[in-house]
Amino acid sequence: MEKIEKTPGQKPQRTQRAQRCSKTLVNFSLRSPRSLRLMGFARGSLEFGSSAGKHRGGASCLVLFLWLGTLPALPVAAAPPDAESEALLSTLSAPARASYKALFGVGSIAELNRVEIDVDIDPSKNGIRGTAKLSVRNTSHTTLSEFVLRLWPNSAGAGRAMSISEVRSKSGPQKFEWKSDSVVSVPLEKPARPGDFMNIETGFAAKVPELGEEQTNLYAQAIEQMLKMLAGGGGKPASTDYGVFASGHGIMNLGGFYPAPAYLGSGGWETDESNGLGDFSSGPPANYFVSIMTPPGYKAATPGRVFKSVETGDGRVRQYVIACGVRDFVIELSSKFATKTETYDGVAITAYYLPADAKAGARVLRVAKDAFTFYSRKFATYPYADLKVVEAPLTGGAGGVEFPGLVTIAGMFMHEERDTGAGDFFAVKLPGDLRDDMLDFIVAHEVAHQWWNAMVGSNPRVHPWVDEALASYSSVLYFDQVYGTARGKRLMDTQIRLNYQMMRLFGGQDRPVGNPASSYNSMLDYAGIVYGKAPMFHHAIRETIGVKAYADACKEYARRFAFKTASPGSFVATTGSLYPNFKQKLEALEKRWIKETHGDEDIGQPDLMALVQLVTGQSLDGDVKQFMEELFPMMKQYR
């Protein structure tokens, strides 16, 4: 049990105008950032351009601006120079602590980017409010004149669910410009050259969308996608983020809950809008210091570790969390969470789940630990001290979502009762083996992302296949080598090949793997290529160079690109350097799979009856077979 300390409640003094208008925003108080101060990890002032130093909502934004401006300043006490580093390193696994300088390419852990967040969460109103202080190194090859923020809850046509208030630097308030609903530009006082740190602080507030029951129901989601295809939409998601920033079933799923730095490539900031497909951008590793205020009785699952919990004067609880070397930060919050923990090699692996899903929660933990053990031995040592596997209300066909040190699993795959909500006509259940296979594969896939995303970075918007293909194929290797070749083959057929063949069956066209997420018109097409065709590229490599050589390549790839950003050609280049005799064959495979279109030839053309039997384990009778044979050509026609 964490020690709970009581401190007197403090309420900011507000101007009369802000006092009158505050209730139009969110009915809970905003506290000034104080997590580091209370913990003794205070920092001095931050300077723009110093690489040597430590580094539409007009009315509502104005109210929040006025309110923030009246918050009292707190005294800052200096801390021993190594206290912060010691706390940060304690959130890493023992091997990572011993080798962190080489792992992150730093002389001191404090050289990483730094994010300080103070967030106040009101589950009763699905509201959040807080401040974020960002210190980001310019890792591009160009001098930057602006700092670009991403407000991911506003992406994919969602509007402005999140607003920001005053943006500040050391010298005071800074102007900012909305480039789009999800992109905000802040001019820098002084241009930041490559290697310089850029520092800003901003207030933010957001309303978390509430999901309906039909949005988190497995069969309802499948039927919705089918109806969209019949209507000509091709299964294209409408203003969706897969429920990554949403609330449902008593769980607040708070991915992208703060204004984050945009992806910074070699040429500068990426500012294109998301089309609702693919993941958020994956940034460089950073140190996070996060203060989370909640009502009593809530459990928050996050990357990193809770270092202190304080009960405030008004009965709420503030938790102080530190996470070292993570590319992103997420909060999963619920008053209903049950938990169960196991360990492997000193790493605590914890499953968070709703009590009604306890049976699935136990299964999720078992598979997560087994997959974690396999990947740790085959690829690289896991870098963090904890891994959380959390049930979450996901939508849009997502089975899970990855974050560093934490993965979410869609509750629709964990619920024991899978009522369609559509009456007896759709009241069917998946065969037990297939249902279990789907859940197990999702867990193994998401855990694999701790190596292929959290450790080895890539750009998921521009090259979504790079990490997804390896996460899926690593999952097949896990089932193949732990459970036997029969289950490995079955899962490669049902969880990988089937994605491509279903896309083709519904009229989707083969295309090169190496396309950005923005090039896809529908979830069906995206899944067919990124989760279907791309993993088979890795299977082709393994079949060509052999089991041992492929294992060596994975291990070397993880070593070379740990906490760096891999390019689309990095895996082939790494493999070719280890086995130069295969270099020409590897380059030919890369051209064929990534740049050309041979999916039907290499994966196999879809056969409706064979696919139905593969999925259900049953043959169709005459009438149903005739109906399906007539339905699918119609669906192709209307795509």
Side-chain angles (χ1 to χ4, degrees):
M1 292 288 291
E2 298 162 4
K3 183 179 180 181
I4 303 293
E5 302 178 4
K6 287 185 177 289
T7 60
Q10 290 183 312
K11 294 184 179 180
Q13 298 298 315
R14 291 175 281 176
T15 63
Q16 197 171 30
R17 181 180 178 184
Q19 187 95 25
R20 291 195 308 269
C21 299
S22 63
K23 291 183 180 179
T24 65
L25 255 81
V26 187
N27 293 321
F28 53 94
S29 64
L30 170 68
R31 308 299 177 100
S32 59
R34 62 188 69 167
S35 58
L36 302 184
R37 295 162 182 166
L38 288 176
M39 295 172 68
F41 298 142
R43 269 283 181 90
S45 299
L46 300 175
E47 297 284 352
F48 278 89
S50 173
S51 59
K54 294 291 184 185
H55 332 341
R56 223 124 89 198
S60 61
C61 287
L62 176 61
V63 172
L64 193 52
F65 165 79
L66 292 171
W67 199 356
L68 284 170
T70 64
L71 293 175
L74 294 178
V76 178
D82 62 344
E84 180 176 285
S85 295
E86 183 179 342
L88 286 165
L89 293 175
S90 70
T91 70
L92 300 179
S93 64
R97 285 197 299 273
S99 60
Y100 76 89
K101 292 183 179 181
L103 191 63
F104 293 108
V106 296
S108 164
I109 200 64
E111 294 175 21
L112 296 179
N113 288 350
R114 181 185 184 92
V115 179
E116 302 172 23
I117 304 172
D118 188 338
V119 61
D120 197 337
I121 307 173
D122 185 354
S124 68
K125 296 181 176 61
N126 276 357
I128 66 170
R129 173 185 279 174
T131 58
K133 189 174 183 180
L134 312 173
S135 181
V136 177
R137 187 189 296 272
N138 180 5
T139 55
S140 75
H141 298 161
T142 185
T143 297
L144 301 175
S145 61
E146 64 177 346
F147 193 117
V148 178
L149 294 170
R150 280 282 190 181
L151 280 64
W152 290 111
N154 299 351
S155 62
R160 293 191 183 175
M162 175 178 284
S163 62
I164 63 169
S165 58
E166 178 187 22
V167 176
R168 301 181 64 88
S169 67
K170 180 189 175 183
S171 63
Q174 299 296 313
K175 296 180 179 179
F176 62 90
E177 179 184 358
W178 291 87
K179 295 291 187 180
S180 68
D181 284 339
S182 70
V183 178
V184 172
S185 171
V186 183
L188 296 176
E189 295 176 295
K190 178 181 177 182
R193 297 167 299 180
D196 288 348
F197 272 87
M198 303 166 285
N199 308 279
I200 65 168
E201 182 174 0
T202 182
F204 62 91
K207 182 76 171 179
V208 183
E210 181 73 27
L211 299 174
E213 179 68 26
E214 73 284 354
Q215 293 175 276
T216 58
N217 180 283
L218 179 62
Y219 291 98
Q221 286 284 292
I223 293 166
E224 179 184 352
Q225 293 297 313
M226 183 177 294
L227 292 175
K228 283 182 178 180
M229 286 183 281
L230 284 170
K236 185 175 182 179
S239 302
T240 182
D241 64 352
Y242 305 105
V244 173
F245 185 76
S247 180
H249 296 282
I251 302 170
M252 294 189 76
N253 191 11
L254 302 179
F257 72 94
Y258 64 98
Y263 185 87
L264 184 56
S266 60
W269 302 103
E270 288 188 2
T271 60
D272 60 304
E273 274 289 352
S274 169
N275 65 347
L277 295 171
D279 296 326
F280 298 160
S281 290
S282 178
N287 296 326
Y288 280 77
F289 301 83
V290 184
S291 165
I292 306 169
M293 177 79 88
T294 68
Y298 279 78
K299 288 183 181 179
T302 72
R305 286 190 165 178
V306 175
F307 274 75
K308 188 177 182 180
S309 293
V310 177
E311 185 178 315
T312 65
D314 58 4
R316 294 186 297 167
V317 176
R318 185 179 290 278
Q319 297 183 67
Y320 300 98
V321 181
I322 294 180
C324 178
V326 296
R327 298 180 185 272
D328 198 1
F329 194 91
V330 62
I331 301 172
E332 302 294 330
L333 185 72
S334 180
S335 62
K336 301 179 180 180
F337 275 146
T339 61
K340 188 175 181 180
T341 301
E342 294 192 10
T343 61
Y344 170 76
D345 202 20
V347 175
I349 305 167
T350 303
Y352 292 71
Y353 50 87
L354 298 177
D357 299 328
K359 182 179 178 181
R363 186 183 188 94
V364 164
L365 179 59
R366 176 176 59 78
V367 175
K369 181 184 177 182
D370 289 349
F372 178 94
T373 302
F374 177 81
Y375 302 146
S376 296
R377 293 171 176 171
K378 293 293 182 179
F379 304 145
T381 300
Y382 180 72
Y384 307 118
D386 299 86
L387 173 64
K388 284 100 171 180
V389 187
V390 188
E391 178 176 351
L394 299 177
T395 67
V401 178
E402 71 275 11
F403 298 91
L406 184 151
V407 300
T408 59
I409 307 299
M412 69 178 78
F413 292 97
M414 295 180 64
H415 303 327
E416 186 66 24
E417 294 298 327
R418 289 174 168 78
D419 181 16
T420 66
D424 292 339
F425 182 77
F426 291 112
V428 294
K429 290 184 179 294
L430 291 173
D433 288 347
L434 179 61
R435 183 186 66 198
D436 292 341
D437 279 353
M438 290 174 70
L439 178 58
D440 292 355
F441 191 87
I442 289 168
V443 174
H445 173 98
E446 299 305 334
V447 172
H449 272 303
Q450 295 304 307
W451 284 262
W452 319 126
N453 175 274
M455 281 187 66
V456 177
S458 58
N459 188 331
R461 304 278 308 290
V462 180
H463 311 297
W465 69 273
V466 172
D467 66 310
E468 296 295 352
L470 255 176
S472 285
Y473 195 62
S474 297
S475 304
V476 168
L477 297 182
Y478 157 65
F479 287 107
D480 179 84
Q481 296 181 37
V482 173
Y483 292 90
T485 56
R487 193 175 188 205
K489 182 182 183 305
R490 184 173 80 239
L491 283 166
M492 187 161 68
D493 288 342
T494 59
Q495 305 301 317
I496 294 179
R497 290 182 190 271
L498 185 63
N499 286 313
Y500 176 82
Q501 293 175 333
M502 287 297 290
M503 177 197 74
R504 294 291 289 123
L505 193 64
F506 281 92
Q509 298 301 309
D510 186 14
R511 65 176 75 194
V513 165
N515 287 331
S518 60
S519 70
Y520 293 92
N521 297 319
S522 72
M523 171 57 74
L524 187 71
D525 292 341
Y526 182 79
I529 301 299
V530 174
Y531 295 95
K533 186 177 178 181
M536 296 304 296
F537 166 58
H538 279 277
H539 183 64
I541 293 177
R542 187 168 180 257
E543 291 288 291
T544 299
I545 67 177
V547 173
K548 182 182 181 303
Y550 184 81
D552 292 343
C554 288
K555 186 169 289 189
E556 179 63 12
Y557 178 67
R559 187 193 68 81
R560 289 188 186 184
F561 293 97
F563 295 102
K564 299 180 179 68
T565 301
S567 70
S570 294
F571 189 88
V572 165
T574 298
T575 308
S577 68
L578 290 179
Y579 298 97
N581 291 342
F582 286 109
K583 185 177 180 181
Q584 190 171 357
K585 289 185 177 181
L586 289 167
E587 290 173 350
L589 286 174
E590 184 177 35
K591 179 182 177 183
R592 181 178 182 87
W593 285 88
I594 308 304
K595 301 176 182 179
E596 298 177 348
T597 55
H598 305 280
D600 288 355
E601 181 181 349
D602 294 335
I603 299 174
Q605 295 189 28
D607 179 280
L608 174 59
M609 298 306 114
L611 290 179
V612 170
Q613 187 166 359
L614 174 66
V615 171
T616 65
Q618 300 174 359
S619 299
L620 298 178
D621 61 33
D623 291 340
V624 176
K625 180 179 179 181
Q626 181 179 352
F627 170 75
M628 296 294 286
E629 287 176 338
E630 293 174 354
L631 174 63
F632 276 85
M634 288 172 55
M635 298 181 80
K636 286 184 179 182
Q637 177 182 351
Y638 285 104
R639 258 182 64 83

